[in-house]
Amino acid sequence: QMEILKYRRSTCTVEKQYVGFATLPNQVHRKSVKKGFDFTLMVAGESGMGKSTLVNSLFLTDLYKDRKLLNAEERINQTVEIIKHTVDIEEKGVKLKLTIVDTPGFGDAVNNNECWKPITDYIDQQFEQYFRDESGLNRKNIQDNRVHCCLYFIPPFGHGLRPVDVEFMKALHEKVNIIPLIAKADCLTPNEIKKLKDRIREEIDKFGIKVYQFPECDSDEDEEFKQLDKELKECTPFAVIGSNTVVEARGQRVRGRLYPWGIVEVENQSHCDFVKLRNMLIRSHMHDLKDVTCDVHYENYRAQCIQEMTSKLAQDNRMESPIPILPLSTPDVDTEKLIKMKDEELKRMQEMLNKMQQQMHEKDQ
Amino acid sequence: LPSSTAFNTHFQYRSVKQARSKNEEKRNLSLGGHVGFDSLPDQLVSKSVTQGFCFNILCVGETGIGKSTLMNTLFNTMFENEEASHYQNGVYLRPRTYDLQESNVHLKLTIVDTVGFGDQINKEDSYKPIVDYIDTQFENYLQEELKIKRSLFNYHDTRIHICLYFIAPTGHSLKSLDLVTMKKLDSKVNIIPIIAKADTISKSELHKFKIKIMSELVSNGVQIYQFPTDDEAVSEINASMNAHLPFAVVGSVEEVKVGNKTVRARQYPWGVVQVENESHCDFVKLREMLIRVNMEDLREQTHARHYELYRRCKLEEMGFKDTDPDSQPFSLQETYEAKRKEFLGDLQRKEEEMRQMFVNKVKETEAELKEKERELHDKFEQLKRMHQEEKRKVEEKRRDLEEEMNAFNRKKVAAETLSLSQPLKKDKDKKK
């Protein structure tokens, strides 16, 4: 709303003839409301980290009614499943089709070798499907099931990242936007939170993990916005707390957790970073997450896919595939070399031919 | 009771029981005055205090779950500890021994930490180093017991008396690793499961969590330590404590001012969790049960139950039995002698076999050599004969050749003399 007002104000102060394209943002706004939005959010982490509770708190609904949890014995050899929940929610006329992708079983078995494979396979499958749809003939109703963001829940009980955390993030950081979170942050005092955040940021750097980076804010934004943006960036990874229950605190009814020694309020910024996460994820950066998914992760996948396809093409002439063969944008290095060689050979042969002709000519004389 | 005394008493009891069953009946007598043997417990206590006590705790739990902090809180001391890394290749046990004193009682406390537990991606073998460590301590004790010259009274007993298993406060249930590990440990050590970092679970969640954990343990047949209820002095409190398992604990060495007191606590923006406040967590219950009431029972159970089980299995493995085919009790001494004889006999037999084998081999080789020698000899004879044959032939030929040469020479001489008289005639012809 703020942005639209800004533009309206400037049109009032213009003295020249009014053309009218300043209404474009309005038009975009109107059309997008009509079209509706979609967003796919994946949550990953060991069982008991509060993932479901956090999702419920973020979107203020109950997605997980009648959920059945496995007990310890059943989990010894558990495999990772992918479960999608899709809901349509609406706020002030804006419709959002929200898909939450759950990954129950991750990290819960005794042997967790490559337990992230079903997850990377799922992400790749969505890319592949979009790739096919995009290259198809009828592109009117493409469904975008690509995963736009993955919230990864790090346990607060340790001293930093564990091997399984590092392996998971490294397997996924080039396929999806990863936002690491410190789960169940109400077991850490403010000092402990700071220490853990510093340690995790250090280890993310050390292991070369590429987590989602907030885009730099424009230089013409006001100081307050810039300051908030800076604080947001320094606060990562967010230490979150979720709750399914409403409690009475300081005369108000809020989402919180009731303890004998006090009440933790989910939306109290001095208690945890839930509000920062919500604002970032939903209120300011949701679209950027989608953009990065489309422009970076998906494009990487697509380019890689095409390269693999064309190198296969070079090997065998026939290829049966419904995907139309696309022209090579850059010639192969090998073929270039071959062409060069042939060129030189031709040149040499031409010279020889000329020489021979000359000799014959002289001989005739 | 110091361990050696308990063992001897057990042995004596058995033999006394046997003697009694044969021809004695117990009679109760009343005393005419104060004799004074009611001071026996005091004498025992005095002896134990002079000797000092020994207690060994094993802490099993994932890295960072609060094992070191809880130990510091329980014993009100800062045991030196570096923060462990999450990147160990496997699980390592790290025992540390400390000498503590409270009034006139000396305690030799050993705390064994499981470093790296729960960090690996594949945790199938995580329980093995723990089981091996416990068994090794039993083995060491058994070795000492079996020695001819032994000194059990000043043996440093390193057998684990209690295993505190730290459960992560997920609020759902046990982790798969917890279940698997506790099942491997429950027949070897006293286990007290505790919920670590319990200030992250609300009261209602805690109640459900405890019930879920206990039911999972029961349905999987995991035997945890039960506080004993046979001694009337402590049966009531122990029985009520059993109902509070697993204990939900919070550890802290930091002090916070609450009201006009300074207590050990954790300070959050929303409140202060006091470690020794019973409505905040079960720390006081744990300390009471573990240290103030049942420490001695834990030591006894370790020796009388877990160690005996280990010993029995080990000796059965080695072939010992308690009764021979006629159901007469064997004494360890006799069995040992018999075993030893058997072993020596075996050894001798093996030696004999080997010697026999060696002798046979030597004979074989000798025979072979002889055979070869004979063959060589035959060959030599044969060659010699051939050589003679050839020589003879050559001689013959030579004689033939000589004869031929002689014959030729005679003919030559004859021809020469003949040709000598001819040339005169020719010359004469030419002159005419």
Side-chain angles (χ1 to χ4, degrees):
Chain A
Q1 297 287 31
M2 282 297 294
E3 314 223 338
I4 298 166
L5 277 173
K6 220 198 315 185
Y7 284 103
R8 282 228 192 96
R9 236 187 278 135
S10 55
T11 56
C12 291
T13 57
V14 145
E15 277 104 13
K16 297 188 265 188
Q17 270 249 291
Y18 175 61
V19 179
F21 57 75
T23 61
L24 272 169
N26 288 24
Q27 298 177 33
V28 169
H29 190 263
R30 200 170 21 97
K31 275 203 172 253
S32 67
V33 168
K34 179 156 180 272
K35 192 166 155 211
F37 295 87
D38 63 83
F39 192 70
T40 304
L41 176 70
M42 175 181 269
V43 286
E46 280 180 8
S47 169
M49 289 292 109
K51 303 184 289 293
S52 321
T53 310
L54 188 75
V55 168
N56 283 344
S57 307
L58 274 172
F59 296 100
L60 297 174
T61 64
D62 191 358
L63 260 78
Y64 297 96
K65 274 199 275 269
D66 310 322
R67 185 171 62 139
K68 186 189 175 285
L69 292 168
L70 296 181
N71 59 27
E73 199 187 356
E74 291 163 341
R75 283 196 252 142
I76 292 177
N77 291 313
Q78 190 180 18
T79 49
V80 179
E81 282 177 80
I82 307 282
I83 299 186
K84 276 171 41 168
H85 304 264
T86 307
V87 288
D88 280 316
I89 43 183
E90 189 184 314
E91 201 176 51
K92 292 198 187 141
V94 178
K95 297 192 190 66
L96 175 66
K97 183 171 94 123
L98 175 70
T99 306
I100 306 284
V101 180
D102 254 326
T103 55
F106 174 79
D108 286 343
V110 176
N111 183 354
N112 292 310
N113 267 336
E114 305 231 308
C115 61
W116 48 85
K117 195 148 187 312
I119 302 176
T120 51
D121 285 347
Y122 176 81
I123 296 177
D124 282 342
Q125 274 164 25
Q126 307 317 305
F127 279 159
E128 194 189 316
Q129 195 189 347
Y130 193 84
F131 185 36
R132 281 175 194 267
D133 290 348
E134 196 188 43
S135 325
L137 293 170
N138 185 354
R139 309 202 299 182
K140 214 161 184 200
N141 290 317
I142 302 181
Q143 271 224 349
D144 185 4
N145 290 321
R146 296 172 295 183
V147 180
H148 300 123
C149 175
C150 174
L151 297 178
Y152 184 68
F153 289 69
I154 300 169
F157 313 125
H159 301 307
L161 295 177
R162 302 161 305 159
V164 70
D165 303 326
V166 175
E167 293 301 311
F168 175 83
M169 288 199 274
K170 288 197 80 163
L172 262 79
H173 63 169
E174 284 172 347
K175 295 183 188 289
V176 72
N177 297 316
I178 298 183
I179 296 181
L181 302 172
I182 298 176
K184 297 205 163 179
D186 59 350
C187 97
L188 299 167
T189 61
N191 273 345
E192 290 167 348
I193 290 185
K194 183 170 183 313
K195 218 173 109 188
L196 187 60
K197 282 187 181 182
D198 287 343
R199 176 72 75 85
I200 292 177
R201 273 203 298 266
E202 212 179 278
E203 288 179 339
I204 286 179
D205 256 340
K206 183 170 107 171
F207 290 107
I209 300 170
K210 301 184 212 142
V211 296
Y212 173 70
Q213 300 291 328
F214 301 112
E216 295 300 326
C217 50
D218 299 325
S219 48
D220 60 351
E221 296 284 357
D222 56 38
E223 274 309 308
E224 198 189 318
F225 189 84
K226 277 195 196 161
Q227 181 64 20
L228 281 170
D229 190 63
K230 184 159 165 269
E231 276 174 24
L232 202 72
K233 287 186 184 158
E234 285 173 358
C235 207
T236 54
F238 295 135
V240 293
I241 301 170
S243 172
N244 283 328
T245 50
V246 175
V247 294
E248 177 119 3
R250 295 174 291 145
Q252 289 180 316
R253 292 181 63 74
V254 289
R255 269 199 188 230
R257 291 173 62 72
L258 179 63
Y259 290 114
W261 48 85
I263 301 176
V264 181
E265 297 161 50
V266 167
E267 295 191 26
N268 184 332
Q269 295 223 47
S270 58
H271 288 188
C272 71
D273 300 327
F274 174 82
V275 170
K276 290 196 176 75
L277 173 68
R278 182 188 58 197
N279 289 351
M280 190 279 298
L281 183 66
I282 304 177
R283 294 183 188 181
S284 49
H285 290 75
M286 196 180 243
H287 217 270
D288 185 65
L289 285 162
K290 291 183 69 169
D291 285 342
V292 174
T293 308
C294 297
D295 299 340
V296 178
H297 300 298
Y298 172 68
E299 287 302 314
N300 282 342
Y301 174 85
R302 185 174 168 279
Q304 204 182 7
C305 231
I306 294 175
Q307 267 187 342
E308 281 172 16
M309 276 196 328
T310 49
S311 71
K312 232 187 122 203
L313 231 188
Q315 284 172 17
D316 48 72
N317 281 318
R318 282 180 302 110
M319 196 174 97
E320 354 205 53
S321 155
I323 302 174
I325 298 162
L326 303 150
L328 281 166
S329 46
T330 48
D332 218 354
V333 179
D334 287 334
T335 21
E336 258 193 21
K337 263 204 217 140
L338 226 81
I339 292 171
K340 220 171 171 180
M341 264 172 53
K342 293 278 173 193
D343 255 336
E344 285 175 15
E345 217 179 307
L346 267 165
K347 238 195 250 174
R348 265 183 280 131
M349 282 178 64
Q350 189 70 25
E351 278 176 25
M352 267 174 58
L353 216 71
N354 287 347
K355 239 198 207 154
M356 278 168 63
Q357 261 191 351
Q358 226 183 359
Q359 278 178 2
M360 271 176 38
H361 200 66
E362 285 169 15
K363 217 174 169 204
D364 281 342
Q365 278 176 349
Chain B
L1 289 171
S3 357
S4 55
T5 321
F7 181 70
N8 288 338
T9 319
H10 171 75
F11 208 61
Q12 287 164 20
Y13 176 71
R14 260 183 49 185
S15 43
V16 166
K17 195 172 171 197
Q18 285 155 23
R20 229 192 266 149
S21 62
K22 280 187 184 159
N23 50 18
E24 274 182 37
E25 257 188 46
K26 196 172 71 169
R27 293 183 298 156
N28 275 330
L29 297 173
S30 55
L31 302 169
H34 181 235
V35 181
F37 58 77
D38 59 352
S39 71
L40 273 169
D42 296 325
Q43 295 176 30
L44 188 61
V45 165
S46 153
K47 178 163 178 245
S48 322
V49 169
T50 331
Q51 254 182 350
F53 295 86
C54 153
F55 196 62
N56 307 320
I57 305 180
L58 170 67
C59 291
V60 180
E62 25 180 271
T63 308
I65 200 78
K67 305 183 284 293
S68 312
T69 309
L70 187 68
M71 289 296 107
N72 289 348
T73 318
L74 262 177
F75 291 96
N76 231 329
T77 326
M78 289 299 281
F79 299 117
E80 79 287 350
N81 260 311
E82 326 89 45
E83 209 176 68
S85 137
H86 282 286
Y87 301 97
Q88 306 275 357
N89 283 343
V91 179
Y92 304 100
L93 271 79
R94 188 175 61 184
R96 293 212 174 114
T97 307
Y98 308 95
D99 274 314
L100 305 175
Q101 185 181 357
E102 202 172 52
S103 30
N104 62 338
V105 179
H106 286 268
L107 178 68
K108 210 184 194 75
L109 177 71
T110 302
I111 300 179
V112 186
D113 214 346
T114 51
V115 180
F117 188 76
D119 282 328
Q120 297 75 37
I121 294 182
N122 182 353
K123 296 172 268 198
E124 283 177 342
D125 291 339
S126 294
Y127 71 87
K128 286 194 188 140
I130 306 176
V131 168
D132 288 343
Y133 181 86
I134 296 176
D135 280 344
T136 309
Q137 310 319 307
F138 283 153
E139 184 62 33
N140 292 345
Y141 191 86
L142 182 63
Q143 290 302 320
E144 184 66 28
E145 236 189 6
L146 291 175
K147 273 193 193 157
I148 297 170
K149 249 191 162 177
R150 53 187 202 182
S151 51
L152 282 173
F153 62 91
N154 61 4
Y155 174 76
H156 178 208
D157 188 3
T158 54
R159 297 173 297 179
I160 300 292
H161 300 121
I162 178 66
C163 167
L164 291 175
Y165 196 96
F166 289 68
I167 298 170
T170 59
H172 287 178
S173 66
L174 286 174
K175 291 193 183 177
S176 51
L177 176 65
D178 298 338
L179 193 60
V180 165
T181 310
M182 281 200 264
K183 277 222 81 164
K184 293 282 181 191
L185 294 178
D186 69 350
S187 60
K188 293 188 177 287
V189 72
N190 301 315
I191 302 180
I192 296 184
I194 58 180
I195 299 172
K197 301 205 170 180
D199 54 355
T200 192
I201 315 184
S202 69
K203 253 202 163 68
S204 53
E205 290 167 352
L206 188 60
H207 186 62
K208 271 196 276 186
F209 192 34
K210 284 191 179 186
I211 292 178
K212 184 76 199 245
I213 292 176
M214 293 310 281
S215 84
E216 279 193 324
L217 290 174
V218 165
S219 65
N220 285 288
V222 176
Q223 305 258 20
I224 58 172
Y225 177 72
Q226 294 295 308
F227 304 119
T229 49
D230 47 2
D231 181 354
E232 344 180 303
V234 291
S235 65
E236 207 182 300
I237 187 173
N238 277 346
S240 83
M241 290 298 182
N242 276 328
H244 280 100
L245 286 171
F247 292 136
V249 293
V250 173
S252 173
V253 289
E254 275 151 29
E255 308 209 308
V256 175
K257 200 155 192 275
V258 173
N260 54 0
K261 286 193 292 174
T262 313
V263 288
R264 288 181 297 173
R266 286 174 63 72
Q267 181 149 50
Y268 291 107
W270 50 85
V272 177
V273 182
Q274 297 159 44
V275 167
E276 287 173 283
N277 184 332
E278 289 209 57
S279 59
H280 286 191
C281 71
D282 298 332
F283 172 79
V284 170
K285 294 190 177 75
L286 175 67
R287 183 180 58 193
E288 196 72 16
M289 288 293 98
L290 182 64
I291 304 181
R292 298 184 184 180
V293 177
N294 298 304
M295 206 185 223
E296 188 53 36
D297 183 69
L298 285 164
R299 285 153 38 98
E300 216 175 276
Q301 289 287 324
T302 305
H303 181 71
R305 192 147 62 92
H306 299 294
Y307 171 69
E308 285 298 312
L309 180 64
Y310 175 84
R311 180 180 170 277
R312 192 172 69 224
C313 294
K314 202 70 202 293
L315 294 180
E316 272 174 357
E317 238 178 79
M318 299 200 314
F320 287 88
K321 281 207 227 330
D322 260 351
T323 56
D324 69 4
D326 300 320
S327 292
Q328 292 289 35
F330 265 172
S331 87
L332 194 65
Q333 187 67 13
E334 284 174 21
T335 322
Y336 183 68
E337 274 306 313
K339 259 281 145 161
R340 192 160 178 276
K341 273 208 196 108
E342 201 187 309
F343 179 68
L344 284 173
D346 263 342
L347 205 68
Q348 256 186 349
R349 218 172 5 96
K350 280 221 164 80
E351 245 185 81
E352 209 30 64
E353 264 180 39
M354 275 172 64
R355 196 180 300 132
Q356 201 54 34
M357 239 170 48
F358 182 71
V359 166
N360 286 347
K361 222 176 182 155
V362 167
K363 277 207 186 116
E364 258 179 48
T365 325
E366 253 182 41
E368 265 177 48
L369 276 170
K370 273 212 171 81
E371 181 69 32
K372 284 253 156 69
E373 209 182 307
R374 204 167 41 77
E375 272 179 36
L376 265 169
H377 208 259
D378 285 345
K379 245 197 184 142
F380 181 68
E381 292 292 316
Q382 200 187 24
L383 275 170
K384 203 163 147 192
R385 261 182 275 130
M386 271 171 62
H387 181 69
Q388 304 276 45
E389 190 63 33
E390 290 289 311
K391 206 167 163 184
R392 197 178 47 80
K393 280 196 188 148
V394 169
E395 271 300 321
E396 247 184 62
K397 283 219 167 109
R398 194 165 73 83
R399 258 182 277 127
D400 282 346
L401 188 66
E402 256 188 50
E403 265 187 44
E404 265 188 49
M405 273 172 63
N406 288 342
F408 178 73
N409 278 339
R410 270 182 264 132
K411 275 200 182 146
K412 188 171 151 191
V413 166
E416 273 182 1
T417 29
L418 206 65
S419 68
L420 263 172
S421 52
Q422 288 289 356
L424 290 166
K425 253 194 178 170
K426 222 177 182 181
D427 276 343
K428 270 187 190 165
D429 275 337
K430 266 200 181 161
K431 272 188 185 169
K432 272 187 182 175

